[in-house]
Amino acid sequence: MPKVKRSRKRPPEGWELIEGTLDDLERQMREAENEPHEGKRKAEILWPIFRIHHQRTRYIYDLFYRRRAISRDLYDYCLREKIADASLIAKWKKPGYEKLCCLRCIQQKDHSFGTTCICRVPRDKLEEGKVIECVHCGCHGCASGD
């Protein structure tokens, strides 16, 4: 994930309300990128980055669509500056994808047999007591039926 770069254009009104949280998430992202990765599988290295990216995007989504705490201008600014992932938000608005963890979990070309990730399977359809974990992002289940 690229570092958040803000344009020279001044942010819209209300930026002060979310700036502290976004700076904290950006700091966590830098820590996750610089974290040593000895002893981890190749896929596990990116899991914290995917989780922080999801958290940052969900934060903007919730502020605009659920709590109605930010303006449309500020929301559009966050999408334009790539602070939040517009593609992921577009999926969250569709039925059945409300809890989607990342876009890689629904890309059929990344999985065997042209299906989706194991984390998209509802828990009641899996064996009881079986712990699932997505290979791509480390998700433990993001099916909307859970």
Side-chain angles (χ1 to χ4, degrees), residues 89-133:
I89 289 175
K91 286 294 181 187
W92 285 339
K93 290 191 269 184
K94 294 181 178 179
Y97 294 97
E98 297 89 2
K99 294 182 182 180
L100 183 65
C101 56
C102 70
L103 292 173
R104 283 188 75 186
C105 289
I106 59 170
Q107 290 178 345
Q108 295 177 347
K109 66 179 183 170
D110 290 344
H111 303 284
S112 303
F113 309 112
T115 60
T116 59
C117 185
I118 187 70
C119 68
R120 297 292 300 153
V121 178
R123 291 184 197 265
D124 60 344
K125 303 271 193 246
L126 295 170
E127 296 173 22
E128 198 167 320
K130 184 178 182 182
V131 177
I132 60 166
E133 192 170 64

Side-chain angles (χ1 to χ4, degrees), residues 60-78:
I60 299 296
Y61 174 82
D62 285 342
L63 283 176
F64 185 70
Y65 286 104
R66 300 240 169 113
R67 298 190 331 202
R68 310 244 187 253
I70 61 174
S71 66
R72 173 59 122 180
D73 291 336
L74 184 55
Y75 174 73
D76 289 339
Y77 176 81
C78 290

